[in-house]
């Protein structure tokens, strides 16, 4: 079992866990040489999403369905989110370190994301959606929250095309560690 103190220590030092489906859900710890982040001051919202966000099509909630969000994120063909990971992050949530940002439509959870917060750093873990653009709206909601609360770092772990559209970049580990230490 991954305990709370181990997770907090790992995140504070640039590491994060992932279960390996091909190795009986064994937990591995990662610290990439190039780290994905979204600089909060240059966060970019595509025009169509900005319009959708302002339309209030989705009800935005925080922490009302944490377990449902993490389980929604785990429902994919290949996942690194094992039951051990789920239990560990629910423990983080119950201790005030993990958060979910959710999109609801017609009283149904249709998207969201979850992550870990230490100091002024937010470590984004995973996103999911069952309705088009619901996870993207959850990301916009998260960034709005982080900006309003003077966060310094939004860690995305890795860079992918989906996050690039929002201004995500990769930075070397040394630069990441400087940002991390400033944030926590």
């Amino acid at each position: 079992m991954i305990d709370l103190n181990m997770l907090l220590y790992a995140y504070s030092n640039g590491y994060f866990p992932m279960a390996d489906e091909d190795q009986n859900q064994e937990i591995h710890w990662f610290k990439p040489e190039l780290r994905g982040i979204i600089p909060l001051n240059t966060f970019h919202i595509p025009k169509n999403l900005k319009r959708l966000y302002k339309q209030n099509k989705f009800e935005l909630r925080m922490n009302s369905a944490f377990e449902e969000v993490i389980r929604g994120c785990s429902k994919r063909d290949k996942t690194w989110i094992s039951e051990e990971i789920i239990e560990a992050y629910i423990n983080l949530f119950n201790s005030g370190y993990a958060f979910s940002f959710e999109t609801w439509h017609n009283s149904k959870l249709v998207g969201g994301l979850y992550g870990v917060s230490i100091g002024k750093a937010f470590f984004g873990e995973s996103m999911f959606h069952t309705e088009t653009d619901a996870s993207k709206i959850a990301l916009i909601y998260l960034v709005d929250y982080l900006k309003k609360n003077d966060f310094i770092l939004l860690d995305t772990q890795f860079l992918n095309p989906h996050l690039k559209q929002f201004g995500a970049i990769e930075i070397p580990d040394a630069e990441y560690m400087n940002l991390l230490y400033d944030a926590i």
Side-chain angles (χ1 to χ4, degrees):
M1 175 69 178
I2 305 170
D3 79 1
L4 176 74
N5 291 326
M6 180 190 306
L7 273 170
L8 295 175
Y9 179 82
Y11 277 102
S12 297
N13 288 281
Y15 292 87
F16 56 88
M18 296 175 84
D20 188 334
E21 260 190 342
D22 298 330
Q23 294 182 349
N24 201 28
Q25 300 298 343
E26 183 178 334
I27 303 296
H28 296 277
W29 295 90
F30 293 87
K31 188 175 194 242
E33 301 247 341
L34 290 175
R35 192 65 160 247
I37 67 164
I38 297 178
L40 295 171
N41 60 341
T42 58
F43 180 69
H44 170 74
I45 305 172
K47 285 182 183 178
N48 63 324
L49 291 175
K50 192 179 287 189
R51 198 170 25 256
L52 182 60
Y53 190 71
K54 289 180 180 177
Q55 287 173 353
N56 296 321
K57 172 184 176 182
F58 298 106
E59 179 187 348
L60 304 174
R61 297 185 197 171
M62 182 176 158
N63 297 334
S64 71
F66 183 85
E67 184 172 350
E68 291 88 341
V69 169
I70 194 170
R71 289 194 182 281
C73 292
S74 74
K75 289 179 184 168
R76 51 186 76 180
D77 292 339
K78 197 161 173 72
T79 185
W80 55 269
I81 305 172
S82 65
E83 276 303 311
E84 183 177 1
I85 294 277
I86 291 170
E87 288 174 26
Y89 284 81
I90 289 171
N91 188 26
L92 274 178
F93 172 74
N94 290 333
S95 299
Y97 291 101
F99 298 83
S100 62
F101 291 80
E102 308 148 7
T103 47
W104 294 75
H105 191 229
N106 296 327
S107 301
K108 182 180 176 197
L109 179 67
V110 294
L113 61 87
Y114 76 97
V116 175
S117 179
I118 303 171
K120 295 294 182 181
F122 189 86
F123 308 90
E125 282 297 319
S126 190
M127 306 168 74
F128 88 99
H129 70 277
T130 59
E131 194 168 307
T132 303
D133 295 327
S135 62
K136 295 173 185 174
I137 296 300
L139 177 61
I140 295 168
Y141 176 42
L142 165 67
V143 170
D144 188 45
Y145 173 86
L146 297 179
K147 285 180 175 183
K148 286 178 181 172
N149 289 280
D150 300 318
F151 274 68
I152 295 170
L153 175 63
L154 174 50
D155 177 354
T156 65
Q157 300 173 346
F158 300 108
L159 185 63
N160 62 43
H162 171 72
L163 294 173
K164 273 185 167 181
Q165 71 180 309
F166 295 100
I169 60 171
E170 282 183 324
I171 60 173
D173 182 58
E175 187 179 338
Y176 172 79
M177 292 306 294
N178 287 334
L179 273 173
L180 177 60
Y181 290 137
D182 286 347
I184 60 171

